[in-house]
Short mmCIF file of all heavy atoms in Angstrom, two decimals:
data_model
loop_
_atom_site.label_atom_id
_atom_site.label_comp_id
_atom_site.label_asym_id
_atom_site.label_seq_id
_atom_site.Cartn_x
_atom_site.Cartn_y
_atom_site.Cartn_z
N PRO A 453 175.22 99.44 68.95
CA PRO A 453 174.26 99.68 70.11
C PRO A 453 172.99 100.24 69.65
O PRO A 453 172.94 101.07 68.69
CB PRO A 453 175.09 100.66 71.00
CG PRO A 453 176.47 100.55 70.55
CD PRO A 453 176.47 100.25 69.10
N ILE A 465 169.64 106.54 84.64
CA ILE A 465 170.66 107.21 85.59
C ILE A 465 170.11 108.52 86.07
O ILE A 465 170.26 108.85 87.27
CB ILE A 465 171.98 107.45 84.76
CG1 ILE A 465 172.59 106.24 84.26
CG2 ILE A 465 172.88 108.38 85.45
CD1 ILE A 465 173.33 105.51 85.37
N ASP A 471 166.11 112.19 93.35
CA ASP A 471 165.55 112.41 94.64
C ASP A 471 166.67 112.49 95.66
O ASP A 471 166.57 113.24 96.64
CB ASP A 471 164.57 111.36 95.03
CG ASP A 471 163.32 111.36 94.25
OD1 ASP A 471 162.90 112.55 93.75
OD2 ASP A 471 162.78 110.32 93.85
N PRO A 486 175.12 97.26 84.63
CA PRO A 486 176.43 96.87 84.94
C PRO A 486 177.27 98.00 85.47
O PRO A 486 177.05 99.19 84.93
CB PRO A 486 177.03 96.35 83.67
CG PRO A 486 175.77 95.83 82.95
CD PRO A 486 174.72 96.94 83.22
N LEU A 497 176.84 111.88 80.76
CA LEU A 497 175.80 112.81 81.17
C LEU A 497 176.41 114.03 81.90
O LEU A 497 175.99 115.16 81.77
CB LEU A 497 174.75 112.27 82.08
CG LEU A 497 173.91 111.16 81.49
CD1 LEU A 497 173.09 110.39 82.39
CD2 LEU A 497 172.88 111.82 80.43
N ALA A 516 172.16 121.74 84.02
CA ALA A 516 171.43 121.74 82.67
C ALA A 516 170.04 121.18 82.80
O ALA A 516 169.13 121.59 82.03
CB ALA A 516 172.16 120.89 81.61
N VAL A 530 162.06 136.72 83.94
CA VAL A 530 161.99 136.83 85.32
C VAL A 530 163.17 137.67 85.90
O VAL A 530 162.99 138.66 86.62
CB VAL A 530 161.98 135.41 86.09
CG1 VAL A 530 162.31 135.57 87.55
CG2 VAL A 530 160.72 134.69 85.86
N SER A 542 171.40 150.35 92.75
CA SER A 542 172.80 150.35 92.72
C SER A 542 173.33 151.49 91.88
O SER A 542 174.45 151.95 92.10
CB SER A 542 173.37 149.08 92.13
OG SER A 542 173.09 148.95 90.80
N TYR A 549 173.52 136.26 83.76
CA TYR A 549 174.23 135.38 82.88
C TYR A 549 173.82 133.97 83.22
O TYR A 549 173.52 133.55 84.33
CB TYR A 549 175.75 135.48 83.13
CG TYR A 549 176.31 136.84 82.70
CD1 TYR A 549 176.49 137.79 83.72
CD2 TYR A 549 176.74 137.14 81.48
CE1 TYR A 549 177.01 139.11 83.45
CE2 TYR A 549 177.30 138.43 81.19
CZ TYR A 549 177.46 139.32 82.14
OH TYR A 549 178.00 140.59 81.82
N ARG A 564 172.39 151.37 82.65
CA ARG A 564 172.43 152.68 83.29
C ARG A 564 171.99 153.60 82.17
O ARG A 564 172.48 153.53 81.05
CB ARG A 564 173.77 152.92 83.83
CG ARG A 564 173.96 154.30 84.47
CD ARG A 564 175.33 154.39 84.89
NE ARG A 564 175.68 155.83 85.19
CZ ARG A 564 175.74 156.37 86.45
NH1 ARG A 564 175.55 155.51 87.42
NH2 ARG A 564 176.00 157.60 86.60
N ARG A 577 178.36 136.75 74.45
CA ARG A 577 179.03 135.58 75.02
C ARG A 577 180.38 135.90 75.52
O ARG A 577 181.23 136.48 74.79
CB ARG A 577 179.20 134.45 73.98
CG ARG A 577 177.89 133.84 73.62
CD ARG A 577 178.08 132.71 72.52
NE ARG A 577 176.86 132.02 72.25
CZ ARG A 577 176.44 130.93 72.98
NH1 ARG A 577 177.19 130.41 73.92
NH2 ARG A 577 175.25 130.35 72.68
N VAL A 598 186.26 123.05 86.91
CA VAL A 598 187.17 124.17 87.52
C VAL A 598 188.59 123.90 87.07
O VAL A 598 189.23 124.79 86.63
CB VAL A 598 187.05 124.18 88.99
CG1 VAL A 598 187.90 125.24 89.59
CG2 VAL A 598 185.58 124.48 89.45
N PRO A 603 193.61 127.03 84.39
CA PRO A 603 194.95 127.45 83.85
C PRO A 603 194.92 128.69 83.00
O PRO A 603 195.83 129.43 82.92
CB PRO A 603 195.37 126.18 83.01
CG PRO A 603 194.63 125.06 83.74
CD PRO A 603 193.33 125.64 84.18
N ARG A 617 182.53 130.75 100.19
CA ARG A 617 182.42 131.07 101.59
C ARG A 617 181.47 132.28 101.89
O ARG A 617 180.60 132.21 102.75
CB ARG A 617 183.78 131.40 102.19
CG ARG A 617 183.86 131.87 103.57
CD ARG A 617 185.26 132.17 104.06
NE ARG A 617 185.92 133.06 103.17
CZ ARG A 617 185.82 134.40 103.23
NH1 ARG A 617 185.01 134.89 104.11
NH2 ARG A 617 186.54 135.11 102.44
N ARG A 618 181.57 133.27 101.00
CA ARG A 618 180.79 134.51 101.33
C ARG A 618 179.49 134.68 100.50
O ARG A 618 178.61 135.47 100.91
CB ARG A 618 181.71 135.75 101.17
CG ARG A 618 182.14 136.02 99.71
CD ARG A 618 183.24 137.03 99.67
NE ARG A 618 183.64 137.28 98.29
CZ ARG A 618 184.76 137.82 97.89
NH1 ARG A 618 185.65 138.23 98.77
NH2 ARG A 618 185.02 137.99 96.66
N PRO A 641 165.39 125.77 93.81
CA PRO A 641 165.07 125.30 95.10
C PRO A 641 165.97 124.08 95.64
O PRO A 641 166.18 124.01 96.81
CB PRO A 641 163.60 124.78 94.94
CG PRO A 641 163.04 125.61 93.82
CD PRO A 641 164.23 125.78 92.91
N ILE A 651 176.33 143.39 88.57
CA ILE A 651 176.36 144.78 88.26
C ILE A 651 177.76 145.07 87.77
O ILE A 651 178.75 144.46 88.30
CB ILE A 651 175.99 145.68 89.42
CG1 ILE A 651 176.82 145.55 90.61
CG2 ILE A 651 174.51 145.56 89.73
CD1 ILE A 651 176.63 146.50 91.71
N LEU A 671 172.92 140.73 96.42
CA LEU A 671 172.40 139.56 97.05
C LEU A 671 170.85 139.55 97.14
O LEU A 671 170.22 138.52 97.01
CB LEU A 671 172.97 139.43 98.51
CG LEU A 671 174.52 139.10 98.54
CD1 LEU A 671 174.90 139.14 100.02
CD2 LEU A 671 174.77 137.72 97.95
N SER A 674 169.59 138.55 93.86
CA SER A 674 169.85 137.07 93.61
C SER A 674 168.77 136.29 94.24
O SER A 674 168.11 135.37 93.67
CB SER A 674 171.25 136.69 94.19
OG SER A 674 171.33 135.26 94.24
#
Side-chain angles (χ1 to χ4, degrees):
I465 296 287
D471 294 325
L497 291 168
V530 167
S542 68
Y549 297 95
R564 181 182 165 99
R577 289 180 175 271
V598 176
R617 174 180 55 82
R618 68 193 180 196
I651 59 172
L671 290 175
S674 169

